[in-house]
Amino acid sequence: MDRRLLVLAIGMFALGTDSFVVAGVLPEIARHFDVSIGAAGQMTTIYSVTFALLSPTIAGLAAGVSRKTMLIAGAAVFVLANLATAISPTFTIALLTRALAGAGAAMFSPTATGSAAMLVPPERRGYALSIVVAGLTLSTALGSPAGAVIGGLGDWRYTMLFVAALGTAAGLGVWAFLTEVPLPPAVSLSKRLAPLADSRVLLTLATTLVNLSGIFTVYTYFAVAFDRAIGNDALVLGTLLVLWGAGGTVANLAFGRLIDRIGSRMVILSTLAVLVIVSASMPWSSASLWTAIPVVAIWGAAGWGLLVPQQYRLVALAPSIAPVLLGLNTAASFFGMSAAGLIGAAAIPLVGAHYLGFVGAGLAVLAFILAELATLRIAAAETARIAACSVPA
């Protein structure tokens, strides 16, 4: 494997781990800072919000900066921020360091995916992107559970040190193995946001945002939503998180071929239907380890499995600006994760952590409706295009 792609994938692995790992050590963080579980969950929220807001902004403003410089600077900010989180004396400072970590991630992530496409010939760009993005996917199956186990067996601050070590490895790898990458054509921030005027794109992105909100409303508070099955055992918690991430990884790999057979619409609707059923079962299935195991695996597969058909749908809408659309989809994903922290924090006092699955199921129903509205707009635009082409000149 190309070492340059590998170090970029390690960086994405670190970013993804930092996105999801806080969920596994949330009770420890809440106790350490003497705050509620809902308040502690905002450490995930502020990271995701900063990541989502700054990714397109930095990509537009720093288009002329050396790619290698951007990657190393992003990794450095990310590492320093996570070290600062580990030694934060107060919860407020911890939140500020999480925002700084999000800024570092926003510098690294779009630069890494863009660089991957520029490092290889055009005919191998799909492969290069899949390697780099695989780092993000694998973080849910390996990085986040590993960090949760480390925190559970020792101290939650060791988890942040683990994430910082991953970021350091990525930064050193970029410095050692990555040559200067050709700068891509400059795309202004206004041009990056222009596709939002297309209702087909907007509805598709809204589906991604609402779907991720529903999934992460439960996942952000996983340790308390599934506490009856976990039984205060860090290894059990880590195992369940591995199942969740492994289900998503398998689904991502399998759904590409399935889309070619039955189309993206059927995959999207079927996946969301499964997500509604699984989420609605959680108040009961989370009560026992043996019922939690299959539910967590299916939940992970359905939740993450939606990303591939969503990306497929966006690329099919406008292949010429596919990188811009996929960047917006990433931003929508992180906005959804950000909203989830707030939704969960508001819902726990009202319904209790064990019933967050009902909230997730409701959001999955809304995502289903948005996906079908996007389908109708796509079909209407295609009909209008065919009609226009058939009109004699």
Side-chain angles (χ1 to χ4, degrees):
M1 182 186 295
D2 191 323
R3 291 181 298 183
R4 299 171 301 175
L5 298 178
L6 182 59
V7 297
L8 294 177
I10 292 172
M12 296 296 282
F13 183 85
L15 306 188
T17 299
D18 207 21
S19 298
F20 312 127
V21 76
V22 169
V25 291
L26 210 55
E28 289 80 6
I29 292 173
R31 283 194 294 269
H32 178 84
F33 288 114
D34 193 23
V35 297
S36 68
I37 286 289
Q42 303 319 303
M43 288 182 66
T44 295
T45 302
I46 197 165
Y47 175 87
S48 299
V49 166
T50 308
F51 194 164
L53 285 174
L54 294 185
S55 287
T57 305
I58 291 175
L61 295 176
V65 178
S66 159
R67 301 296 85 184
K68 185 171 183 177
T69 299
M70 277 292 292
L71 288 167
I72 293 175
V77 171
F78 177 83
V79 168
L80 291 174
N82 277 282
L83 291 175
T85 300
I87 61 173
S88 294
T90 67
F91 184 63
T92 300
I93 292 176
L95 288 176
L96 292 174
T97 63
R98 295 300 293 157
L100 187 61
M107 295 169 67
F108 191 97
S109 178
T111 309
T113 52
S115 297
M118 301 297 291
L119 287 171
V120 298
E123 63 272 14
R124 299 187 68 237
R125 284 179 180 169
Y127 165 77
L129 287 170
S130 70
I131 294 297
V132 175
V133 174
L136 184 62
T137 305
L138 285 173
S139 69
T140 65
L142 299 176
S144 179
V149 170
I150 291 170
L153 296 177
D155 186 290
W156 71 269
R157 287 170 290 196
Y158 296 159
T159 299
M160 310 316 297
L161 296 178
F162 168 67
V163 173
L166 291 174
T168 301
L172 291 175
V174 168
W175 175 76
F177 299 122
L178 201 70
T179 56
E180 285 299 331
V181 181
L183 289 173
V187 180
S188 67
L189 182 59
S190 61
K191 289 184 178 179
R192 290 177 183 273
L193 299 179
L196 294 177
D198 187 331
S199 61
R200 301 170 300 168
V201 172
L202 190 59
L203 285 166
T204 301
L205 294 176
T207 302
T208 295
L209 189 153
V210 173
N211 174 59
L212 268 294
S213 294
I215 296 166
F216 279 86
T217 290
V218 182
Y219 183 84
T220 301
Y221 302 97
F222 189 97
V224 289
F226 284 83
D227 61 346
R228 294 169 294 176
I230 294 167
N232 202 33
D233 189 322
L235 291 177
V236 172
L237 171 60
T239 300
L240 288 176
L241 292 177
V242 167
L243 280 175
W244 187 77
T249 301
V250 170
N252 274 326
L253 295 173
F255 278 19
R257 293 183 179 181
L258 190 60
I259 291 167
D260 291 334
R261 293 181 181 179
I262 66 174
S264 61
R265 175 177 178 264
M266 288 304 300
V267 175
I268 290 170
L269 296 184
S270 300
T271 302
L272 285 170
V274 170
L275 198 56
V276 171
I277 295 169
V278 170
S279 299
S281 77
M282 286 179 182
W284 300 279
S285 59
S286 65
S288 162
L289 179 61
W290 300 111
T291 52
I293 287 173
V295 163
V296 167
I298 296 170
W299 176 42
W304 285 112
L306 194 69
L307 292 184
V308 174
Q310 284 287 98
Q311 291 173 339
Y312 181 95
R313 173 171 275 189
L314 286 169
V315 171
L317 286 175
S320 62
I321 57 169
V324 173
L325 293 178
L326 294 179
L328 290 172
N329 196 58
T330 298
S333 298
F334 278 92
F335 275 126
M337 296 176 199
S338 306
L342 299 173
I343 294 169
I348 288 175
L350 296 176
V351 302
H354 296 158
Y355 292 91
L356 285 178
F358 285 157
V359 180
L363 289 168
V365 170
L366 178 56
F368 187 101
I369 295 170
L370 290 169
E372 268 299 86
L373 290 174
T375 298
L376 293 175
R377 291 299 305 141
I378 291 168
E382 181 63 14
T383 299
R385 186 190 67 80
I386 294 173
C389 291
S390 63
V391 174

